Amino acid sequence: MTNADYARLVRLDRINERRKQIAEYYLDNTVTIVKLAEAFNVSERTVYRDLNALKHIDDDLYVRVKRKRSKNNPFSLSYSKYHNSKAI
């Protein structure tokens, strides 16, 4: 494994950890996507992407987030501003 490969894996681990932290924070608190973005110092689009990417990382967490999103706002399953993405 080269140094570049190792660095890529470390970066991916950090991103996946952030994704899980965002999801847990969302599930434990009553917050909007805007507040999540502010709390984690990322864009709203990154929050949507991170929450959507959970289905490849932690399916149980993904289902719990999706369930909460649909319960809070049944019309928010897609984010019209980013309609090409499969945001939850």
Side-chain angles (χ1 to χ4, degrees), residues 35-47:
K35 294 296 181 186
L36 277 173
E38 290 172 359
F40 286 89
N41 200 28
V42 295
S43 70
E44 292 173 46
R45 184 167 182 161
T46 299
V47 171

Side-chain angles (χ1 to χ4, degrees), residues 21-32 36 68 72:
Q21 288 174 350
I22 288 173
E24 291 293 342
Y25 187 84
Y26 175 72
L27 292 170
D28 293 341
N29 300 287
T30 305
V31 292
T32 63
L36 277 173
K68 182 175 179 181
N72 288 345

Side-chain angles (χ1 to χ4, degrees), residues 25-85:
Y25 187 84
Y26 175 72
L27 292 170
D28 293 341
N29 300 287
T30 305
V31 292
T32 63
I33 296 299
V34 173
K35 294 296 181 186
L36 277 173
E38 290 172 359
F40 286 89
N41 200 28
V42 295
S43 70
E44 292 173 46
R45 184 167 182 161
T46 299
V47 171
Y48 280 101
R49 285 180 175 174
D50 284 355
L51 293 177
N52 194 48
L54 285 172
K55 64 183 157 189
H56 304 292
I57 301 166
D58 186 339
D59 193 53
D60 179 55
L61 194 57
Y62 170 75
V63 169
R64 289 174 33 216
V65 167
K66 188 173 179 178
R67 190 174 299 136
K68 182 175 179 181
R69 294 272 304 143
S70 65
K71 184 194 302 185
N72 288 345
N73 187 355
F75 302 106
S76 70
L77 292 179
S78 65
Y79 188 49
S80 61
K81 186 175 179 181
Y82 305 113
H83 65 278
N84 291 331
S85 69

